[in-house]
């Protein structure tokens, strides 16, 4: 593995993973699906090559949250870990906050602000998009 590989884990540590560097800049998603899946008003995501993701311990459980969309989580502690979409072959999104060093990856914008709760108004000055962003 190269020095650029990242590692992370769920809350209880039953699932540990390693993945390659982000393919595109990380983002903060305010969509309703992420909100409900994580129980949080916003979820940070980084996108990596799916063949770079390897589980060093445990295998997360996958839940089909909409047609062709799969969210994985630890079946012991419930931590959301990954998101993949059949239409996006070769890549997978990882929950940024489960990285061992989450501060190493800095999100550059906010997406799906049209779903954001009325009190969820980021004041960090980063760009905010009503839906998704253009592919960078
Ligand atoms: Zn766990
Ligand atoms: Zn989302």
């Amino acid at each position: 593995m190269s020095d650029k590989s990242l590692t992370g884990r769920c809350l209880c540590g039953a699932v540990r993973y390693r993945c390659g560097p982000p393919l595109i800049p990380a983002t903060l998603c305010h969509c309703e699906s992420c909100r409900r899946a994580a129980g949080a008003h916003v979820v940070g995501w980084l996108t990596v090559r799916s063949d770079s993701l390897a589980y060093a311990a445990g295998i997360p459980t996958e839940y089909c949250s909409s047609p062709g969309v799969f969210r994985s989580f630890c079946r012991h502690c419930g931590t959301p870990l990954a998101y993949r979409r059949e239409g996006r072959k070769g890549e997978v999104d990882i929950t940024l906050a489960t990285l061992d060093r989450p501060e190493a990856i800095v999100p550059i914008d906010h997406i799906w602000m049209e779903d954001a709760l009325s009190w969820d108004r980021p004041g960090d000055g980063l760009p905010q998009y009503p839906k998704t962003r253009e592919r960078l």
Side-chain angles (χ1 to χ4, degrees):
M1 280 290 172
S2 75
D3 294 331
K4 285 189 175 166
S5 71
L6 303 166
T7 58
R9 65 172 178 87
C10 65
L11 175 63
C12 77
V15 178
R16 293 178 183 277
Y17 64 85
R18 177 180 294 275
C19 66
L23 292 172
I24 53 176
T27 192
L28 293 159
C29 185
H30 298 252
C31 84
E32 182 178 359
S33 298
C34 287
R35 184 202 316 159
R36 293 189 182 280
H41 63 285
V42 60
V43 179
W45 292 105
L46 68 146
T47 303
V48 302
R49 287 173 53 109
S50 44
D51 62 6
S52 78
L53 174 64
Y55 291 101
I59 296 288
T61 298
E62 274 199 329
Y63 168 68
C64 180
S65 63
S66 15
V69 173
F70 299 88
R71 292 174 183 266
S72 23
F73 60 95
C74 172
R75 68 190 169 92
H76 295 289
C77 69
T79 302
L81 292 161
Y83 171 108
R84 69 182 177 88
R85 181 185 284 273
E86 281 177 348
R88 285 172 52 210
K89 293 253 183 277
E91 52 189 61
V92 60
D93 298 336
I94 305 290
T95 46
L96 198 164
T98 61
L99 289 171
D100 290 328
R101 294 180 57 236
E103 305 223 41
I105 305 291
V106 181
I108 64 160
D109 53 18
H110 298 269
I111 61 171
W112 290 101
M113 286 305 294
E114 69 177 21
D115 280 2
L117 301 178
S118 61
W119 46 258
D120 177 17
R121 291 292 174 260
D124 54 19
L126 296 176
Q128 300 180 16
Y129 302 101
K131 298 181 188 292
T132 192
R133 67 154 100 108
E134 292 291 308
R135 180 79 187 207
L136 298 174

